[in-house]
Each structure stands twice: as structure tokens, then as C-alpha cells.
Amino acid sequence: MNRSNRTATVAAMLVAVTALALWIPPGVAQAQAPADAQKAVDAAYAKYKTLNEGKNADYIPALAKVDPNLFGIALVTSDGKVYSAGDLKTEVSIQSISKVFTMAQVIQEQGLDAIEKRIGVDATGARFNSIIAVEAVKVVQGTGAPEMNPLVNPGAISATSMVKGASADEVWKKIIGFHNDAAGRSLNVLQDVYKSESDSNQRNQAIGALMLAYGYIKSNWQQAVDLYTKQCSIGVNAKDLATMAATLAASGKNPVSGKQVLDAAKVPGVLAVMATAGLYDDSGKWLYHTGLPAKSGVGGGIIAVSPGKFGIAVVSPPLDDAGNSIKAQRAITEISNALGGNPYAGKK
Ligand code: DON
């Protein structure tokens, strides 16, 4: 090697070593900028605290009684740092956000194919409890191409029916166990919500019966509807939800407890369904503005996932017409965009 070649090689090595020293993996970069994360969370909290739009869900009577001013934000990085503002203690019912974790449990137990083949992973474009959507897609069922997904009620009740167990109690222990692992603590059912929804869920019962008739549910639709209602009544606060979202952001490993809850290889499928249908018929609009796989619940929570970076959750009960929390949508959009959370934006 002549002198100029040697000089060039040494220079190239220096550039490579410097680049390596400067390169920070995305999750770590997030964790190393606590000031930015806390600043973004605080700014969104201050900006939206007094926003007074939308109204609590009331088709489940217990939800109408929840304090509409409840507002909590939590962000958990994929390496387990927590940033928050507002109310982190008060629990709301998890509602449809549970659909993500029951779907994930079925995928963990039975593989990605099981959900795709039995229920489907396509948007219905209809409201979350649409019966017309069930009727519209039933003709395709059995041809190997169901056009449903596990995040609308018909698909979710079917997913709950897929959790294996010899008794309702055994199935429930698996469902609550998976939620506990993702949240990193032992969660409880809010009994008033469970009772209120059980007394008023005739529409879901009709959906359960239809799903049996069309072959999505194989037996005992009553048990599936009951366990689905129970999973929707699990009590969670903003920090629980953010930790659950961060578990998906960290390739299936709860970054606070360190437990691998879902195989890393199965996480992208779960996130894809969230991106497709997490905010129901407003999923496209949401993705357009944030790029984040997300899921809402009529209890007022929304979780969103920036893969490899962070999970974020906001709790605020007043909803828009599609059934999604108004403050949660605004706060998450603003915080994530301030922190470069949109995966479609490339490196920041
Ligand atoms: O089945 C229901 O109607 C409720 N338990 C859940 C609906 C829900 O959370 C829709 N979300 N935005």
C-alpha cells in the first residue's frame, strides 16, 4: 500500500469510527432527550387542558358518569423511560384498546395466519359496531378471504372466541394475564362498567350470534360476548396504557419490566392491523397526520406506537363522532410530531 492509499484508508477508518460514535439508535436517542420529551408532553397538556369539545360515550350508561375533565398523558420510551403530565392515577375502562391485546394473544398462541384466515385484516370502512359490515362481508367468509378485522366489534368478539381454554375462567385468566404482562402490573375489572355494559350490550349479542351463524365463531357465542365485555371493562390509567403501547414499540418486550410479552416477529402484524383499523373509519385520516399505528377506546383512551422509539397514551373521555377521544388525538399528534415519531418521515 503506498503512502497516499494508506492516508486514504486511515481517513476512511476515522470517518467510520466517528460516524459509529455519533450514531445513536432511535430508541436510545429518544431516551437521551428527556428535556425534549417532557417539554413536548407538558406543552400538549397545557394546550389542550381546557379544550371543551366532544362528549363521553353514553350508550354504555356507566361511561356517561366518568369525569369529562379527566386528562392524563404518558409516554414510555422503548428503553423504559417515562414522561407524563396530568392525571396518571384515575382508571378508565380500556374498552376497544383491549382488542389489540386479545388479538396479539391469539397471534402469539396460534400464529399470524390464524387471525388473517378466520377474521381478516382489512378495513371495513364502517363504524366499530356495524352490523351492515358483517352482512356485507359474509359472502366472502369461507373462501379464505374474510374482509373483517379484529379491531371492530364483530372481529374482536370472534378473536376473543379464539382464545383457547377448557372453561370461561381459563380463557379469562389468559386474557387478563396478557394485559397484565403488557401493562407490567395486575389490572382489575371495573365492576360497575362490566355490569353496565352487560346490561346494555344487546347489539353485541346480536353481532355474536351473527358471527356464529357465518362461521367466524365456532361455538358458544354467549361466552365470547361475555368475555369480550369483561376485557373491555379492565381498568387502566394513562401510564398503564403507555406501557402497553411501549411493549409494542419495543418489539414485544415490556421495556419497564423487561418481560418478553409477544414474539418480536409477531409485532409488525399487530401494528399493521392497528394502522389499518385502529381508529375505525377515521384510521386513514389519523395515519395521514401521524403515521402511527394506534387504537382508541370509548372509555376515552388512545394508545399509539412509534416503533423502536416510544409508546404514548392519553386518557380523556369526550369523544368525536367516530368514537375517538378528541384531546387524545390532538395531544398525541402534537407530541409525536414534535419528537419525530412518524415512521414514514424517515430518520430525523
Ligand atoms: O363493544 C363496545 O361497544 C365497547 N365495549 C367497545 C367499543 C369501543 O371502545 C370503540 N372504540 N372506540
Side-chain angles (χ1 to χ4, degrees):
M1 193 183 282
N2 65 30
R3 179 194 282 266
S4 71
N5 277 352
R6 211 171 20 241
T7 313
T9 307
V10 170
M13 281 169 71
L14 269 174
V15 168
V17 168
T18 314
L20 206 62
L22 289 176
W23 183 78
I24 301 165
V28 177
Q30 185 58 48
Q32 284 186 344
D36 288 350
Q38 192 56 53
K39 216 163 96 190
V41 167
D42 286 340
Y45 183 77
K47 182 166 175 186
Y48 294 116
K49 191 171 162 36
T50 53
L51 181 79
N52 193 16
E53 286 174 32
K55 85 184 206 355
N56 286 25
D58 56 9
Y59 73 98
I60 300 169
L63 301 187
K65 295 188 200 142
V66 177
D67 177 6
N69 295 316
L70 170 61
F71 186 30
I73 305 178
L75 182 151
V76 178
T77 62
S78 53
D79 63 351
K81 304 256 185 327
V82 182
Y83 305 99
S84 61
D87 191 328
L88 297 183
K89 286 220 170 83
T90 308
E91 292 179 1
V92 293
S93 51
I94 188 169
Q95 296 297 341
S96 286
I97 299 170
S98 68
K99 295 168 177 171
V100 170
F101 297 91
T102 300
M103 159 179 71
Q105 177 169 35
V106 173
I107 287 174
Q108 176 70 2
E109 197 176 70
Q110 300 167 39
L112 285 154
D113 269 10
I115 285 287
E116 187 179 6
K117 293 208 170 107
R118 174 88 74 88
I119 299 169
V121 291
D122 274 316
T124 63
R127 279 185 66 76
F128 62 85
N129 56 2
S130 172
I131 289 175
I132 289 174
V134 178
E135 286 299 312
V137 304
K138 74 174 194 297
V139 286
V140 216
Q141 179 65 16
T143 65
E147 301 272 331
M148 182 57 69
N149 69 73
L151 299 184
V152 288
N153 290 11
I157 294 167
S158 306
T160 299
S161 82
M162 291 173 73
V163 178
K164 292 188 197 303
S167 64
D169 198 44
E170 208 176 295
V171 174
W172 173 248
K173 284 201 175 107
K174 285 166 77 176
I175 292 175
I176 189 75
F178 197 88
H179 284 73
N180 289 345
D181 286 346
R185 75 172 180 107
S186 224
L187 302 167
N188 294 302
V189 169
L190 301 178
Q191 293 298 335
D192 60 327
V193 177
Y194 180 37
K195 178 166 185 343
S196 178
E197 186 163 347
S198 298
D199 289 346
S200 58
N201 69 352
Q202 289 75 23
R203 190 181 178 98
N204 281 341
Q205 292 180 44
I207 288 173
L210 270 182
M211 296 311 267
L212 177 82
Y214 298 148
Y216 295 83
I217 295 179
K218 299 299 177 197
S219 69
N220 206 346
W221 63 264
Q222 292 93 337
Q223 175 177 304
V225 172
D226 179 49
L227 290 175
Y228 162 82
T229 307
K230 201 167 175 181
Q231 77 179 46
C232 286
S233 308
I234 295 171
V236 282
N237 59 41
K239 185 166 169 251
D240 295 326
L241 289 175
T243 309
M244 295 170 95
T247 297
L248 297 173
S251 304
K253 182 177 178 173
N254 180 322
V256 180
S257 73
K259 180 164 185 169
Q260 190 74 40
V261 180
L262 176 65
D263 295 345
K266 292 169 176 153
V267 172
V270 171
L271 295 179
V273 182
M274 291 169 74
T276 304
L279 268 69
Y280 307 111
D281 36 330
D282 276 351
S283 297
K285 201 157 67 179
W286 167 262
L287 206 59
Y288 192 78
H289 288 285
T290 65
L292 300 182
K295 185 72 207 84
S296 61
V298 287
I302 295 186
I303 62 168
V305 179
S306 180
K309 292 188 176 174
F310 58 80
I312 183 168
V314 173
V315 168
S316 165
L319 311 177
D320 64 14
D321 288 343
N324 301 316
S325 164
I326 292 181
K327 273 187 198 170
Q329 290 178 76
R330 304 234 179 123
I332 293 173
T333 303
E334 200 141 309
I335 295 166
S336 175
N337 288 344
L339 298 176
N342 188 333
Y344 297 125
K347 271 200 189 127
K348 199 182 174 190

